[in-house]
Amino acid sequence: MQKFRKRTAVVLSLVAVTALFAGGVAQAEETEAVQTYGLEAGVSYDLDLDGDGTTEQFVWQTTAKEFDDTYAISQAVLDLYVNDSQPSSFIDDYAYMWRMDKGTLADGRTLLFAMSIGDNDYSEQVLALTESEAGLPFQSTDLVKLSRTEGETADHILSGWARGVDFVKSEGDLFTVRWFDTLSCAGIVSVDLDYQIDGAKITQVDQPGILDETKTWTAWQSFSVKTDVESDQEAFAVAPGDTVSLFQVVLRNGTRWILCENANGEEGWFADPDSAVWEEQSDGLHWGYFDEAHFAG
């Protein structure tokens, strides 16, 4: 399917991306275990890329190439330099720029996250980049292909709106990253997913995705919470004005289910709707199930 670009949307998209990631960093600062690092383009960093205890000089650059046709009018190029070597280059035909973050794996290696930014404020690609030996070409794994739903097949835990990642932690051969996804019931939420790394091979660990349980959600409409995923038995009902915490998201047979807890400490699961819920009332427009639900434009 061809992707069409609207030039007037570029500035708005980039502003929205900046605001979203700024919000993500602010949220990360509230969680002691989270460490996020932004790397600026064109700046030299001393990083231990291969985990041998010695740092290498690392520089990255992002450039955009413009086209005249409507199929792909912009191409974002990412160049990675190590100790002034020839660059390792990556290209996204449907993006305008790249951004870069990093984390440290348990074996001492630096894990780089390269995110290409396109229309609709989301990352087209999220590349996890590693080096087994300094100076060798970077091994890349596109986390989007592991975790985000693409096309019409809902076979991944994240929706098609999932964007960006922040490094959270690493333990042994596992590392955790935080995505910003959009649930139909709650709008933008953070979802922590685990990945396993074996040398340069990265795989996503099975569900669930962990939500921010410290946030309180206030319902503006009624919905039923079940005793288990895909169960017909009701655990409790949520009424307008009730508050819940959201703990986990899992995918079962193409439907996302949310684990929640009410103010009485009762837990249960409810299905995320297939599409965003909204209703116009006398006090304004309501989105999702909760007053705090926020959807990107």
Side-chain angles (χ1 to χ4, degrees):
M1 179 179 179
Q2 289 186 341
K3 297 185 178 181
F4 294 91
R5 297 300 187 221
K6 298 180 180 179
R7 303 305 297 169
T8 56
V10 175
V11 174
L12 292 177
S13 294
L14 294 180
V15 169
V17 168
T18 302
L20 178 63
F21 284 118
V25 171
Q27 181 185 40
E29 290 175 349
E30 296 175 0
T31 307
E32 185 177 353
V34 173
Q35 295 180 345
T36 59
Y37 307 88
L39 300 181
E40 296 184 24
V43 176
S44 178
Y45 294 92
D46 292 326
L47 304 179
D48 187 356
L49 297 172
D50 57 0
D52 67 352
T54 302
T55 60
E56 290 78 44
Q57 187 181 68
F58 172 77
V59 178
W60 72 281
Q61 295 282 0
T62 179
T63 56
K65 185 175 181 180
E66 300 294 328
F67 298 95
D68 294 329
D69 60 83
T70 57
Y71 177 68
I73 64 172
S74 183
Q75 181 185 72
V77 180
L78 172 68
D79 291 319
L80 310 178
Y81 300 85
V82 179
N83 295 333
D84 298 323
S85 64
Q86 291 294 314
S88 297
S89 298
F90 301 87
I91 296 174
D92 192 328
D93 285 337
Y94 309 109
Y96 301 112
M97 60 180 290
W98 292 81
R99 66 181 291 267
M100 179 79 69
D101 282 336
K102 76 174 181 68
T104 303
L105 296 170
D107 62 8
R109 281 186 295 167
T110 298
L111 179 64
L112 299 170
F113 295 103
M115 285 149 277
S116 62
I117 307 300
D119 280 349
N120 297 322
D121 311 336
Y122 69 91
S123 300
E124 300 279 3
Q125 298 180 43
V126 178
L127 303 181
L129 302 155
T130 59
E131 274 196 334
S132 57
E133 295 182 31
L136 292 180
F138 281 88
Q139 301 295 313
S140 67
T141 301
D142 190 353
L143 300 187
V144 163
K145 296 186 182 303
L146 297 180
S147 304
R148 192 172 75 195
T149 299
E150 297 289 342
E152 298 180 355
T153 303
D155 57 354
H156 289 159
I157 190 170
L158 298 175
S159 78
W161 287 100
R163 59 200 77 175
V165 295
D166 286 329
F167 180 82
V168 177
K169 62 181 179 181
S170 67
E171 296 178 358
D173 61 353
L174 299 178
F175 67 91
T176 304
V177 297
R178 176 161 296 162
W179 292 80
F180 297 94
D181 200 4
T182 298
L183 298 174
S184 297
C185 66
I188 296 174
V189 296
S190 65
V191 183
D192 288 2
L193 294 180
D194 291 334
Y195 298 84
Q196 186 171 36
I197 183 166
D198 181 7
K201 183 179 180 180
I202 296 174
T203 55
Q204 184 196 311
V205 177
D206 201 9
Q207 307 173 34
I210 306 302
L211 302 174
D212 179 12
E213 63 185 64
T214 65
K215 184 172 181 177
T216 299
W217 299 84
T218 308
W220 66 267
Q221 66 164 271
S222 300
F223 62 94
S224 178
V225 178
K226 308 302 182 181
T227 56
D228 204 350
V229 174
E230 294 188 320
S231 172
D232 293 328
Q233 183 178 354
E234 185 174 84
F236 58 89
V238 176
D242 289 352
T243 59
V244 298
S245 298
L246 308 182
F247 292 158
Q248 297 179 5
V249 56
V250 300
L251 183 70
R252 188 74 58 82
N253 294 322
T255 298
R256 291 176 180 83
W257 287 79
I258 314 299
L259 175 64
C260 73
E261 179 182 274
N262 64 14
N264 297 325
E266 299 173 295
E267 288 190 357
W269 297 83
F270 66 94
D272 193 37
D274 293 334
S275 57
V277 177
W278 64 276
E279 183 176 320
E280 188 170 2
Q281 297 185 339
S282 59
D283 59 346
L285 190 63
H286 291 263
W287 290 91
Y289 288 171
F290 309 106
D291 290 338
E292 296 82 7
H294 172 73
F295 289 80

